Amino acid sequence: MAAETAERREWTVTGMDCAACTTKVTRAVERLPGVSDVRVAMMAERLSLNLAPGTTEPEIIEGTIRKLGFGIAPKGQQAPRKKAFVLLDTMPASPHNTVERAEVSEAAAPMQHEQGHTGALTVERDRSWHQTGKGRLVILTGTLLVVAWLVELLTSAETGYWAFVAACLIGVAPVAKRAFEALRMGQPFTIEGLMTIAATGALIIGAEEEAALVVVLFAVGEVLEGVAAGKARQGIRALANLVPKTALLEVGGQTRRVMADRLQIGQVVLVRPGDRIPADGDIIEGTSGVDESPVTGESMPATRSVGGGVFAGSINTEAALRVRVTREPSDNTIARIIRLVEEAEEARAPTERFIDRFSRIYMPAVIALSALVIVVPPLAFGQDWNTWIYRGLALLLIGCPCALVISVPASIASALSSGAKRGLLMKGGAVIEAAAKITHVAFDKTGTLTRGKPVVTDLIPASGVSEAALLGVAAGVETGSSHSLAQAILSRAKAAGVAIPATRDARVLAGQGVEAVVGETKAWVSSPSHAVNIGGINEAAIPRATALEEEGKTVVAVFRSGQPLGLIAMRDEPRDDAAWAVRQLNALGVTATMLTGDNPRTATAIAGQLGLDFRAGMMPEDKLAAIRYLNCLGSVMMIGDGINDAPALKEAQVGVAMGSGTDVALETADGAILRDRVTDAPALIRLARATMGNIRQNVTLALGLKAVFLVTSILGITGLWIAILADTGATVLVTLNALRLLGFDPTKEA
């Protein structure tokens, strides 16, 4: 019954530097009564779980986390800073900021570009490493070590011995405390525990100077891990900074500055030139260029006017706009992208799950080997106890699998952030791993390979008729129609500056066309077959109409009673980059196929222009069957609009939706391409392959270093301080290697 009424609770946890930290938190919390479905996201610094009422109090959960050495606070409040960065869902409520959050003075305006606030996220400025708890531990232990060396130099070896012992014990005390708390929670195999044993053992066998040095190096390694983890979070932080903290709200014809996270649906905000747009909304007044690159990665500003939608975080570049808010701040495009990236961190790749299982065996195995190294040589071969205890302790420090465990999530997190900056979204490591293996890409046609809107491609006026006259009559007949072909004709007439004559009595001829009185006489825009029946097309023009239809174009005849005026051909043209995208896929060894519901004639024309295979006349169930067939030939990625292609998107190994921040694009498929660029399809595959290559490098680096120092420690070539460098150094190296993905641009061909 408790499970049925369990409440989902969430906290911000700071101080998690690697995957081992998330494991500690997870295992400590899941042992508590009433706790289930524990999820810990290191990059998002988030702990969420189901808590049954009447079991464990939230305060006990918080106390458990604090005993492990981490900072924690309920969702929406600031946690004590163990590290430099935190994401919160709202600004902390307090008596001191209530007024500030309701209304902000003009003096706060310069801050809006310095600190972002989306309504879903708050970003706190970085703190220097020396201001953190672990940074202060480095300073303390380093100072104690230097003092011990000076004491030994200025006094005697015996006095120096006690100075080094004191330095070691003071430095290892906080580490030992965390190790003891972890042990109480059923976690004996932690790096803190191994470090405590190694330092204590070194003191017992008289290696006090090296023990103190190892404590300092351990503290330095933890700080470096924290710095590297903070760098890995910068991608999400950059997204959170996109939305301004304040907005100019219009009330009763006046504007006042308010917190952007307090905006409500239906309110109107003024966006001045140069300002960032504070909320998702629709323009109700003004026309301006809008730079959407912060959201979609699209480098060229797009012109937006009345009725056009805009994203929070975009930059108004030219003229003032009045925008009506259409989404809550917590649900704007930036907030949803950040949530997607954070949630994707929890979707673990198969490789990551395998390494996690392997590490659970690896660490106890190394500890067992360490015990054998300590015991067997002295007992079996009469070797010196101190020598082999020292070597066994060195092995203990190599036993921590931090570098191995973090090798995958660090790369995945960096790839997700890198992709999000460029409008490429993938829902987790499992999707990235699958995308790296893609051998075949299936494209929907309309709205994916093509723009989804037909345009006029050919004007063929009859003898003695000008193009302007042909367009003018056609536009007059189509005035007021919302049909896509009518809109194409009207757009062409507007672009050509053609005057549209007065029109009345417009009427749709079902399955044939449209008629209306244009000027003083009746005119028609109809299919060629209908025009032939009533003398609206010359016999000489019929072959031309047929030829245009063979090219996959829709042809209409324009005529007055007994007077043919000419033909207009239209087609939903391919996107400018579609052919280039297909060539890029071929270069990657990936074949492409177009799946469309259009007739074979139209499909042949489009596919021939782009250089890919096609299947035409397909209903949604036909596309589903086609994806199933392609799955038998390899690994398939389906790219569509996320609505009518939903069955095929789900059936493919990787389903990718195109669309600039739409709900469907962000939520229905495995990934999304926000910029509506077809070339982002090969970019997505390049990013996935680069990520998996980075993961392989990390795993090789982590295991390789462990293997080398394991052998050298047994042979006595390397000692304790080298062993701790091998552990923390490997963790830092794999993290820094993963961070290279933040600078990787998948949109550029190799």
Side-chain angles (χ1 to χ4, degrees), residues 624-675:
L624 179 62
I627 294 296
R628 286 174 177 165
Y629 171 76
L630 293 173
N631 279 337
C632 298
L633 304 179
S635 187
V636 182
M637 174 184 288
M638 172 67 189
I639 302 179
D641 61 15
I643 302 173
N644 58 350
D645 297 312
L649 288 169
K650 290 299 182 183
E651 182 66 23
Q653 271 87 358
V654 179
V656 177
M658 291 191 69
S660 300
T662 62
D663 288 332
V664 170
L666 293 176
E667 295 168 12
T668 61
D670 300 311
I673 294 173
L674 299 187
R675 299 191 297 184

CSV table of all heavy atoms in Angstrom, one decimal, residues 624-675:
chain,number,residue,atom,x,y,z
A,624,LEU,N,6.0,1.6,-41.5
A,624,LEU,CA,6.4,0.7,-40.4
A,624,LEU,C,6.9,-0.6,-40.9
A,624,LEU,O,8.0,-1.1,-40.4
A,624,LEU,CB,5.2,0.4,-39.5
A,624,LEU,CG,5.4,-0.5,-38.3
A,624,LEU,CD1,6.4,0.1,-37.3
A,624,LEU,CD2,4.0,-0.7,-37.6
A,625,ALA,N,6.3,-1.2,-41.9
A,625,ALA,CA,6.7,-2.5,-42.5
A,625,ALA,C,8.1,-2.3,-43.2
A,625,ALA,O,9.0,-3.2,-43.1
A,625,ALA,CB,5.7,-3.0,-43.5
A,626,ALA,N,8.3,-1.1,-43.8
A,626,ALA,CA,9.5,-0.8,-44.5
A,626,ALA,C,10.7,-0.8,-43.5
A,626,ALA,O,11.8,-1.3,-43.7
A,626,ALA,CB,9.4,0.5,-45.3
A,627,ILE,N,10.4,-0.1,-42.3
A,627,ILE,CA,11.5,0.0,-41.3
A,627,ILE,C,11.8,-1.4,-40.7
A,627,ILE,O,13.0,-1.8,-40.5
A,627,ILE,CB,11.0,0.9,-40.1
A,627,ILE,CG1,10.9,2.3,-40.6
A,627,ILE,CG2,12.0,0.8,-39.0
A,627,ILE,CD1,12.2,2.9,-41.1
A,628,ARG,N,10.8,-2.3,-40.6
A,628,ARG,CA,11.0,-3.6,-40.1
A,628,ARG,C,11.9,-4.4,-41.1
A,628,ARG,O,12.8,-5.2,-40.7
A,628,ARG,CB,9.7,-4.3,-39.9
A,628,ARG,CG,9.0,-3.9,-38.6
A,628,ARG,CD,7.6,-4.5,-38.5
A,628,ARG,NE,7.0,-4.1,-37.2
A,628,ARG,CZ,5.7,-4.2,-37.0
A,628,ARG,NH1,4.9,-4.8,-37.9
A,628,ARG,NH2,5.2,-3.8,-35.8
A,629,TYR,N,11.7,-4.2,-42.4
A,629,TYR,CA,12.5,-4.9,-43.4
A,629,TYR,C,13.9,-4.4,-43.3
A,629,TYR,O,14.9,-5.1,-43.4
A,629,TYR,CB,11.9,-4.6,-44.8
A,629,TYR,CG,12.8,-5.1,-45.9
A,629,TYR,CD1,12.9,-6.5,-46.2
A,629,TYR,CD2,13.5,-4.2,-46.6
A,629,TYR,CE1,13.7,-6.9,-47.2
A,629,TYR,CE2,14.3,-4.6,-47.7
A,629,TYR,CZ,14.4,-6.0,-47.9
A,629,TYR,OH,15.3,-6.4,-48.9
A,630,LEU,N,14.1,-3.0,-43.2
A,630,LEU,CA,15.4,-2.5,-43.2
A,630,LEU,C,16.2,-2.9,-41.9
A,630,LEU,O,17.4,-3.0,-41.9
A,630,LEU,CB,15.3,-0.9,-43.3
A,630,LEU,CG,14.8,-0.4,-44.6
A,630,LEU,CD1,14.7,1.2,-44.5
A,630,LEU,CD2,15.8,-0.7,-45.7
A,631,ASN,N,15.4,-3.1,-40.8
A,631,ASN,CA,16.1,-3.6,-39.6
A,631,ASN,C,16.8,-4.9,-39.8
A,631,ASN,O,17.7,-5.2,-39.1
A,631,ASN,CB,15.0,-3.7,-38.5
A,631,ASN,CG,14.8,-2.4,-37.8
A,631,ASN,OD1,15.6,-1.4,-37.9
A,631,ASN,ND2,13.6,-2.2,-37.2
A,632,CYS,N,16.2,-5.7,-40.7
A,632,CYS,CA,16.8,-7.0,-41.0
A,632,CYS,C,18.1,-6.9,-41.8
A,632,CYS,O,18.9,-7.8,-41.8
A,632,CYS,CB,15.8,-7.9,-41.8
A,632,CYS,SG,14.3,-8.2,-41.0
A,633,LEU,N,18.3,-5.7,-42.4
A,633,LEU,CA,19.5,-5.5,-43.2
A,633,LEU,C,20.6,-4.8,-42.4
A,633,LEU,O,21.8,-4.8,-42.9
A,633,LEU,CB,19.2,-4.7,-44.4
A,633,LEU,CG,18.1,-5.2,-45.3
A,633,LEU,CD1,17.8,-4.3,-46.5
A,633,LEU,CD2,18.4,-6.6,-45.8
A,634,GLY,N,20.3,-4.2,-41.3
A,634,GLY,CA,21.3,-3.5,-40.5
A,634,GLY,C,20.6,-2.7,-39.4
A,634,GLY,O,19.5,-2.9,-39.0
A,635,SER,N,21.3,-1.6,-39.0
A,635,SER,CA,20.8,-0.7,-38.0
A,635,SER,C,20.2,0.5,-38.6
A,635,SER,O,20.9,1.2,-39.4
A,635,SER,CB,21.9,-0.4,-37.0
A,635,SER,OG,21.5,0.4,-35.9
A,636,VAL,N,19.0,0.9,-38.3
A,636,VAL,CA,18.2,1.9,-39.0
A,636,VAL,C,17.9,3.1,-38.2
A,636,VAL,O,17.5,3.0,-37.0
A,636,VAL,CB,16.9,1.3,-39.6
A,636,VAL,CG1,16.2,2.4,-40.4
A,636,VAL,CG2,17.2,0.1,-40.4
A,637,MET,N,18.2,4.3,-38.7
A,637,MET,CA,17.7,5.5,-38.1
A,637,MET,C,16.6,6.1,-39.0
A,637,MET,O,16.7,6.2,-40.2
A,637,MET,CB,18.9,6.6,-38.1
A,637,MET,CG,18.4,7.9,-37.6
A,637,MET,SD,19.8,9.2,-37.6
A,637,MET,CE,20.8,8.6,-36.3
A,638,MET,N,15.4,6.4,-38.4
A,638,MET,CA,14.3,7.0,-39.1
A,638,MET,C,14.2,8.4,-38.7
A,638,MET,O,14.3,8.8,-37.6
A,638,MET,CB,13.0,6.3,-38.7
A,638,MET,CG,11.7,6.9,-39.3
A,638,MET,SD,11.6,6.8,-41.1
A,638,MET,CE,10.2,7.9,-41.4
A,639,ILE,N,14.1,9.3,-39.8
A,639,ILE,CA,14.0,10.8,-39.5
A,639,ILE,C,12.7,11.2,-40.1
A,639,ILE,O,12.4,11.1,-41.3
A,639,ILE,CB,15.2,11.5,-40.1
A,639,ILE,CG1,16.5,11.0,-39.6
A,639,ILE,CG2,15.0,13.0,-39.9
A,639,ILE,CD1,17.7,11.6,-40.1
A,640,GLY,N,11.8,11.8,-39.3
A,640,GLY,CA,10.5,12.3,-39.8
A,640,GLY,C,10.0,13.4,-39.0
A,640,GLY,O,10.8,14.0,-38.2
A,641,ASP,N,8.8,13.8,-39.1
A,641,ASP,CA,8.2,15.0,-38.4
A,641,ASP,C,7.7,14.7,-37.0
A,641,ASP,O,7.3,15.6,-36.3
A,641,ASP,CB,7.2,15.7,-39.3
A,641,ASP,CG,6.0,14.8,-39.5
A,641,ASP,OD1,5.8,13.7,-38.8
A,641,ASP,OD2,5.2,15.1,-40.4
A,642,GLY,N,7.7,13.4,-36.6
A,642,GLY,CA,7.4,13.1,-35.3
A,642,GLY,C,5.9,12.9,-35.0
A,642,GLY,O,5.5,12.6,-33.9
A,643,ILE,N,5.0,13.1,-36.0
A,643,ILE,CA,3.6,12.9,-35.8
A,643,ILE,C,3.1,11.8,-36.6
A,643,ILE,O,2.8,10.7,-36.1
A,643,ILE,CB,2.9,14.3,-36.2
A,643,ILE,CG1,3.4,15.4,-35.4
A,643,ILE,CG2,1.4,14.1,-36.0
A,643,ILE,CD1,2.9,16.8,-35.8
A,644,ASN,N,2.9,12.0,-37.9
A,644,ASN,CA,2.4,10.8,-38.7
A,644,ASN,C,3.4,9.7,-38.9
A,644,ASN,O,3.1,8.7,-39.4
A,644,ASN,CB,1.9,11.4,-40.1
A,644,ASN,CG,3.0,12.1,-40.9
A,644,ASN,OD1,4.0,12.3,-40.4
A,644,ASN,ND2,2.7,12.4,-42.1
A,645,ASP,N,4.7,10.0,-38.6
A,645,ASP,CA,5.7,9.0,-38.7
A,645,ASP,C,6.0,8.3,-37.4
A,645,ASP,O,7.0,7.6,-37.3
A,645,ASP,CB,7.0,9.6,-39.2
A,645,ASP,CG,6.8,10.2,-40.6
A,645,ASP,OD1,6.3,9.5,-41.5
A,645,ASP,OD2,7.2,11.4,-40.8
A,646,ALA,N,5.2,8.5,-36.4
A,646,ALA,CA,5.4,8.0,-35.0
A,646,ALA,C,5.7,6.5,-35.0
A,646,ALA,O,6.6,6.0,-34.4
A,646,ALA,CB,4.3,8.4,-34.1
A,647,PRO,N,4.8,5.7,-35.7
A,647,PRO,CA,5.1,4.2,-35.6
A,647,PRO,C,6.5,3.8,-36.2
A,647,PRO,O,7.2,3.0,-35.6
A,647,PRO,CB,4.0,3.6,-36.5
A,647,PRO,CG,2.9,4.6,-36.5
A,647,PRO,CD,3.6,6.0,-36.4
A,648,ALA,N,6.8,4.5,-37.3
A,648,ALA,CA,8.2,4.2,-37.9
A,648,ALA,C,9.3,4.7,-37.0
A,648,ALA,O,10.3,4.0,-36.9
A,648,ALA,CB,8.2,4.8,-39.3
A,649,LEU,N,9.1,5.8,-36.4
A,649,LEU,CA,10.1,6.4,-35.5
A,649,LEU,C,10.4,5.4,-34.3
A,649,LEU,O,11.5,5.2,-33.9
A,649,LEU,CB,9.7,7.7,-35.0
A,649,LEU,CG,9.7,8.9,-36.0
A,649,LEU,CD1,9.0,10.1,-35.4
A,649,LEU,CD2,11.2,9.2,-36.4
A,650,LYS,N,9.3,4.9,-33.8
A,650,LYS,CA,9.5,3.9,-32.7
A,650,LYS,C,10.1,2.6,-33.1
A,650,LYS,O,10.8,2.0,-32.3
A,650,LYS,CB,8.1,3.7,-32.0
A,650,LYS,CG,7.6,5.0,-31.2
A,650,LYS,CD,8.6,5.3,-30.1
A,650,LYS,CE,8.0,6.5,-29.4
A,650,LYS,NZ,9.0,7.0,-28.3
A,651,GLU,N,9.8,2.2,-34.3
A,651,GLU,CA,10.3,0.9,-34.7
A,651,GLU,C,11.8,0.9,-35.1
A,651,GLU,O,12.5,-0.1,-34.9
A,651,GLU,CB,9.5,0.4,-36.0
A,651,GLU,CG,9.9,-0.9,-36.5
A,651,GLU,CD,9.5,-2.1,-35.6
A,651,GLU,OE1,8.6,-1.9,-34.7
A,651,GLU,OE2,10.1,-3.1,-35.6
A,652,ALA,N,12.3,2.0,-35.5
A,652,ALA,CA,13.7,2.1,-35.9
A,652,ALA,C,14.6,2.0,-34.6
A,652,ALA,O,14.1,2.3,-33.5
A,652,ALA,CB,13.9,3.4,-36.6
A,653,GLN,N,15.8,1.6,-34.8
A,653,GLN,CA,16.7,1.6,-33.7
A,653,GLN,C,16.9,3.0,-33.1
A,653,GLN,O,17.0,3.1,-31.9
A,653,GLN,CB,18.1,1.1,-34.1
A,653,GLN,CG,18.3,-0.4,-34.0
A,653,GLN,CD,17.8,-1.1,-35.3
A,653,GLN,OE1,17.3,-0.4,-36.2
A,653,GLN,NE2,18.0,-2.4,-35.4
A,654,VAL,N,16.9,4.0,-34.0
A,654,VAL,CA,17.0,5.4,-33.5
A,654,VAL,C,16.0,6.2,-34.3
A,654,VAL,O,16.0,6.2,-35.5
A,654,VAL,CB,18.4,6.0,-33.7
A,654,VAL,CG1,18.4,7.4,-33.2
A,654,VAL,CG2,19.4,5.2,-33.0
A,655,GLY,N,15.0,6.8,-33.6
A,655,GLY,CA,14.0,7.6,-34.3
A,655,GLY,C,14.3,9.1,-34.0
A,655,GLY,O,14.5,9.5,-32.8
A,656,VAL,N,14.5,9.9,-35.0
A,656,VAL,CA,14.8,11.3,-34.9
A,656,VAL,C,13.8,12.2,-35.5
A,656,VAL,O,13.4,12.0,-36.6
A,656,VAL,CB,16.2,11.6,-35.6
A,656,VAL,CG1,16.5,13.1,-35.5
A,656,VAL,CG2,17.3,10.7,-35.0
A,657,ALA,N,13.3,13.1,-34.7
A,657,ALA,CA,12.2,14.0,-35.2
A,657,ALA,C,12.8,15.4,-35.6
A,657,ALA,O,13.7,15.9,-34.9
A,657,ALA,CB,11.2,14.3,-34.1
A,658,MET,N,12.4,15.9,-36.7
A,658,MET,CA,12.8,17.2,-37.1
A,658,MET,C,11.8,18.3,-36.6
A,658,MET,O,10.6,18.0,-36.6
A,658,MET,CB,12.9,17.3,-38.6
A,658,MET,CG,14.1,16.5,-39.1
A,658,MET,SD,14.5,16.8,-40.9
A,658,MET,CE,15.1,18.5,-40.8
A,659,GLY,N,12.2,19.4,-36.2
A,659,GLY,CA,11.3,20.5,-35.8
A,659,GLY,C,12.0,21.4,-34.8
A,659,GLY,O,12.7,21.0,-33.9
A,660,SER,N,11.8,22.7,-35.0
A,660,SER,CA,12.4,23.7,-34.2
A,660,SER,C,11.8,23.8,-32.8
A,660,SER,O,10.9,24.6,-32.5
A,660,SER,CB,12.4,25.0,-34.9
A,660,SER,OG,13.0,25.0,-36.1
A,661,GLY,N,12.1,22.9,-31.9
A,661,GLY,CA,11.7,22.9,-30.5
A,661,GLY,C,10.3,22.5,-30.3
A,661,GLY,O,9.7,22.9,-29.2
A,662,THR,N,9.6,21.9,-31.2
A,662,THR,CA,8.2,21.5,-31.0
A,662,THR,C,8.1,20.4,-29.9
A,662,THR,O,9.1,19.7,-29.6
A,662,THR,CB,7.6,20.9,-32.2
A,662,THR,OG1,8.3,19.8,-32.7
A,662,THR,CG2,7.6,22.0,-33.3
A,663,ASP,N,7.0,20.3,-29.3
A,663,ASP,CA,6.8,19.2,-28.3
A,663,ASP,C,7.1,17.8,-28.8
A,663,ASP,O,7.7,17.0,-28.2
A,663,ASP,CB,5.3,19.2,-27.8
A,663,ASP,CG,5.0,20.4,-26.9
A,663,ASP,OD1,6.0,20.9,-26.3
A,663,ASP,OD2,3.9,20.9,-26.9
A,664,VAL,N,6.6,17.6,-30.1
A,664,VAL,CA,6.8,16.3,-30.7
A,664,VAL,C,8.3,16.0,-30.9
A,664,VAL,O,8.8,15.0,-30.5
A,664,VAL,CB,6.1,16.2,-32.0
A,664,VAL,CG1,6.5,15.0,-32.8
A,664,VAL,CG2,4.6,16.2,-31.8
A,665,ALA,N,9.0,17.0,-31.4
A,665,ALA,CA,10.4,16.9,-31.7
A,665,ALA,C,11.2,16.6,-30.4
A,665,ALA,O,12.2,15.8,-30.4
A,665,ALA,CB,11.0,18.1,-32.3
A,666,LEU,N,10.8,17.2,-29.3
A,666,LEU,CA,11.5,17.0,-28.1
A,666,LEU,C,11.1,15.8,-27.3
A,666,LEU,O,11.9,15.3,-26.4
A,666,LEU,CB,11.4,18.2,-27.2
A,666,LEU,CG,12.0,19.5,-27.7
A,666,LEU,CD1,11.7,20.7,-26.8
A,666,LEU,CD2,13.5,19.4,-27.9
A,667,GLU,N,10.0,15.2,-27.5
A,667,GLU,CA,9.4,14.2,-26.5
A,667,GLU,C,9.1,12.9,-27.2
A,667,GLU,O,9.1,11.9,-26.5
A,667,GLU,CB,8.2,14.8,-25.8
A,667,GLU,CG,8.5,16.0,-24.9
A,667,GLU,CD,7.3,16.7,-24.4
A,667,GLU,OE1,6.2,16.2,-24.6
A,667,GLU,OE2,7.5,17.8,-23.9
A,668,THR,N,8.8,12.8,-28.4
A,668,THR,CA,8.3,11.5,-29.0
A,668,THR,C,9.4,10.6,-29.5
A,668,THR,O,9.3,9.4,-29.4
A,668,THR,CB,7.3,11.7,-30.1
A,668,THR,OG1,8.0,12.4,-31.2
A,668,THR,CG2,6.1,12.6,-29.7
A,669,ALA,N,10.5,11.1,-30.0
A,669,ALA,CA,11.5,10.3,-30.6
A,669,ALA,C,12.7,10.1,-29.7
A,669,ALA,O,12.7,10.6,-28.6
A,669,ALA,CB,11.9,10.9,-32.0
A,670,ASP,N,13.7,9.4,-30.2
A,670,ASP,CA,14.9,9.1,-29.4
A,670,ASP,C,15.8,10.4,-29.5
A,670,ASP,O,16.7,10.5,-28.7
A,670,ASP,CB,15.7,7.9,-30.0
A,670,ASP,CG,14.8,6.7,-29.9
A,670,ASP,OD1,14.3,6.4,-28.8
A,670,ASP,OD2,14.7,5.9,-30.9
A,671,GLY,N,15.6,11.2,-30.5
A,671,GLY,CA,16.5,12.4,-30.7
A,671,GLY,C,15.7,13.4,-31.5
A,671,GLY,O,14.6,13.1,-32.0
A,672,ALA,N,16.3,14.6,-31.6
A,672,ALA,CA,15.6,15.6,-32.4
A,672,ALA,C,16.7,16.5,-33.1
A,672,ALA,O,17.8,16.7,-32.5
A,672,ALA,CB,14.8,16.5,-31.5
A,673,ILE,N,16.3,17.0,-34.2
A,673,ILE,CA,17.2,18.0,-35.0
A,673,ILE,C,16.4,19.3,-35.0
A,673,ILE,O,15.4,19.4,-35.6
A,673,ILE,CB,17.4,17.5,-36.4
A,673,ILE,CG1,18.3,16.2,-36.4
A,673,ILE,CG2,18.1,18.6,-37.3
A,673,ILE,CD1,18.4,15.6,-37.8
A,674,LEU,N,16.9,20.2,-34.2
A,674,LEU,CA,16.1,21.5,-34.0
A,674,LEU,C,16.3,22.5,-35.1
A,674,LEU,O,15.4,23.4,-35.2
A,674,LEU,CB,16.6,22.1,-32.7
A,674,LEU,CG,16.4,21.3,-31.4
A,674,LEU,CD1,16.7,22.2,-30.2
A,674,LEU,CD2,15.0,20.7,-31.3
A,675,ARG,N,17.3,22.4,-35.9
A,675,ARG,CA,17.6,23.4,-36.9
A,675,ARG,C,16.9,23.1,-38.2
A,675,ARG,O,17.0,23.9,-39.2
A,675,ARG,CB,19.1,23.6,-37.1
A,675,ARG,CG,19.8,24.0,-35.9
A,675,ARG,CD,21.2,24.4,-36.2
A,675,ARG,NE,22.0,23.3,-36.8
A,675,ARG,CZ,23.3,23.4,-37.1
A,675,ARG,NH1,23.9,24.6,-36.9
A,675,ARG,NH2,24.0,22.4,-37.5
